[in-house]
């Protein structure tokens, strides 16, 4: 069971799942995938928020990847309500 936080949106789980499965990717490629199904602009904004909370890392050139904390959230080992923005 996942424990999401008030600051999270519906897109966040899809983004995290996509990156856990496919590896590092850009918001454009995520928007083009069948899994995420949100606009590139929305995905880009959500990725920036997920970086602030430590669930994603920005690798540069618009590429994001999931962190260990992001993986723990997906498996239910981490309660996102306990995270604070950097």
């Amino acid at each position: 069971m996942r424990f999401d936080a008030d600051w999270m949106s519906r897109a966040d789980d899809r983004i995290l799942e996509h990156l856990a499965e496919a590896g590092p990717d850009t918001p454009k490629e995520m928007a083009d995938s069948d899994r995420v199904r949100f606009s590139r602009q929305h995905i880009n904004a959500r990725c920036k928020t997920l970086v602030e909370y430590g669930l994603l890392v920005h690798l540069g050139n618009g590429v994001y990847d999931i962190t260990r904390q992001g993986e723990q959230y997906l498996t239910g080992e981490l309660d996102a309500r306990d995270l604070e923005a950097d």
Side-chain angles (χ1 to χ4, degrees):
M1 175 180 218
R2 293 181 188 159
F3 302 98
D4 63 352
D6 291 341
W7 55 264
M8 295 182 83
S9 79
R10 284 188 19 216
D12 296 351
D13 279 11
R14 303 297 83 75
I15 292 167
L16 291 165
E17 290 166 354
H18 173 84
L19 294 173
E21 187 175 299
D25 215 346
T26 66
K28 180 186 180 327
E29 294 300 319
M30 287 186 251
D32 291 342
S33 75
D34 289 335
R35 179 181 287 273
V36 183
R37 296 184 188 198
F38 290 90
S39 72
R40 181 196 56 77
Q41 295 86 351
H42 185 66
I43 293 168
N44 188 53
R46 294 313 305 161
C47 285
K48 289 178 182 180
T49 300
L50 292 168
V51 167
E52 288 180 27
Y53 283 91
L55 298 177
L56 293 184
V57 61
H58 184 232
L59 301 176
N61 295 324
V63 177
Y64 293 89
D65 198 10
I66 191 167
T67 63
R68 177 74 181 123
Q69 280 188 319
E71 292 171 350
Q72 289 174 327
Y73 165 75
L74 286 179
T75 61
E77 298 172 40
L78 176 79
D79 188 335
R81 296 172 292 188
D82 295 335
L83 299 174
E84 295 184 19
D86 288 337

